[in-house]
Amino acid sequence: MGSNKGELSGDCDMYEHAFLEVLDRELVVALGCTEPIAIALASAVASNHLKEPLEFLEVYASGNIIKNAMGVSIPGTGKTGMNLAAALGSLGDADRKLEVLSGISEDNILEATQMISAGRIRINKADILKKLYIEVHATSLHGYSKVIIEDRHTNITHIEADGEVLFDLKEQVLQKEEEYSFMNMETILEFIESVPVEKLGKVEESIRINKKIGEEGIRKDYGLKVGKTLFEAMEKGHQSNDPINYAMALTSGGSDARMAGSSLSVMSNSGSGNQGITATLPVIAFWEKMNLSEELLLRSVALSHLITIYMKTKFGRLSALCGATIAATGASCGITYLLGGKKKEIHGAIQNMLGNVTGMICDGAKGGCALKVATCTSAACMSSTLALSGIAIGCQEGIIEEDAEKTIENLGILSCEGGKEADRIILGIMLDKENKRKTT
């Protein structure tokens, strides 16, 4: 870590550019839950490479994709289903990437449901170890195409049509460990302190987009109405109208709207809209209540995003553990910085978060995610409060180490190694429930 600090001081411009590239790559505007939308994107690309009208579409998806795609609403439809995502994707605009379903009409929805009823869409579990993998085979009367997305939700690594390989990047896929090797807590903090605020345009966009869907969720009936219910309780005086309750309401409201199929886009973080919402809105909520400067807001949200991205490189893009815990850890650091905390307090916020909500499982994307988001946001606020008071969980407890960097590494081991069997069990339970529903 020490050598990285020296390098950063010696060539600040290079690292500034690298961090801005990371923000540009990992903060992506997305419409709907990113797993079914990635299926829709692969379907759109495959359909575009057919010379004749689509006859049949077959999807092979990794277990973690299936887990996060089977129970979430597809934007603008009020319905769930990977087959619906695939069918609508074949009618969507592939150039819009994670907004591929923007502009989908009622006629498109009717056509997609007719495709499903006619048995023209099939979903299969891919026999592959990768956690993020989607393979789509599209066939027409006289031709076929094949598209593969892996590792990232928009990372198309293979396109094939009528026996000809048109595009293949399998040998060029960058490893995240190498891509982001310059990132650690020290270099992130130095970047946040030194970057000219006018260069944080992507962060500013995330604030604008995610605030809009958060406000949508606390004003309208979406999903479990977690955010709206909390916000109404504040307005009635049943809950205090303070930064913590407002942060919980606004953030869970954004998740409510997104998971229920709102037509509003979000700025995702590391491939997840809920992570983007959770890394952004708690910091915004505190900023609004505390009446602080816009520059401080931008730096604080940028810190939250970057710590979330950094931790996700250790944690894994899809995991048996809930990603909201990671994004809320980023938010806790952002809140801490917003309220005047420095390196010691930010490290303390991480220790408190990872000694608290670590172990929350991911049992798929669904309406109930808003409750997990609310819980993690509450923990983020509490962890920040404790850290700013000089209180942090000690290294003698659980997976916590003396150094927050090492604690993050321990979490990565828990997620990547310990999560394998948990993933298998969770997916098995979910598929068993789905099969029972189909037979009753």
Side-chain angles (χ1 to χ4, degrees), residues 95-270:
D95 291 338
R96 301 200 62 155
K97 296 188 177 179
L98 292 183
E99 293 182 288
V100 61
L101 298 187
S102 294
I104 287 292
S105 66
E106 288 297 326
D107 287 343
N108 295 144
I109 296 170
L110 177 60
E111 184 177 351
T113 54
Q114 288 173 343
M115 291 170 65
I116 295 166
S117 298
R120 294 169 54 199
I121 309 292
R122 183 181 300 159
I123 307 293
N124 307 285
K125 184 177 181 296
D127 185 17
I128 193 167
L129 294 177
K130 277 183 179 286
K131 292 188 175 183
L132 200 166
Y133 183 88
I134 300 164
E135 182 177 321
V136 172
H137 297 187
T139 56
S140 62
L141 194 59
H142 299 103
Y144 83 94
S145 65
K146 173 181 170 181
V147 171
I148 295 174
I149 288 178
E150 53 190 320
D151 300 322
R152 291 185 179 137
H153 294 79
T154 57
N155 188 41
I156 297 170
T157 59
H158 184 87
I159 302 175
E160 180 181 327
D162 299 328
E164 180 183 359
V165 175
L166 305 177
F167 181 77
D168 193 276
L169 282 181
K170 284 186 177 294
E171 299 304 319
Q172 301 177 43
V173 176
L174 294 173
Q175 296 300 312
K176 282 188 293 185
E177 291 80 4
E178 297 174 5
E179 276 185 292
Y180 298 163
S181 60
F182 67 93
M183 290 183 71
N184 56 48
M185 292 301 301
E186 193 166 340
T187 59
I188 290 171
L189 287 170
E190 289 200 33
F191 168 77
I192 293 300
E193 293 281 345
S194 64
V195 63
V197 72
E198 62 269 16
K199 294 186 178 182
L200 297 175
K202 199 63 173 288
V203 175
E204 186 175 15
E205 186 182 5
S206 78
I207 292 169
R208 176 179 56 80
I209 291 175
N210 291 349
K211 176 70 186 307
K212 187 174 182 180
I213 198 168
E215 290 176 334
E216 176 88 352
I218 61 176
R219 295 296 183 188
K220 297 182 180 179
D221 291 344
Y222 284 103
L224 292 179
K225 299 185 287 187
V226 178
K228 183 183 180 185
T229 303
L230 291 174
F231 190 70
E232 287 177 346
M234 291 165 56
E235 290 184 317
K236 293 174 183 175
H238 299 164
Q239 299 267 11
S240 61
N241 191 351
D242 59 26
I244 296 176
N245 283 325
Y246 180 48
M248 290 173 62
L250 188 66
T251 311
S252 59
S255 180
D256 278 322
R258 175 176 176 265
M259 305 314 285
S262 167
S263 59
L264 292 177
S265 296
V266 304
M267 184 68 80
S268 64
N269 181 307
S270 304

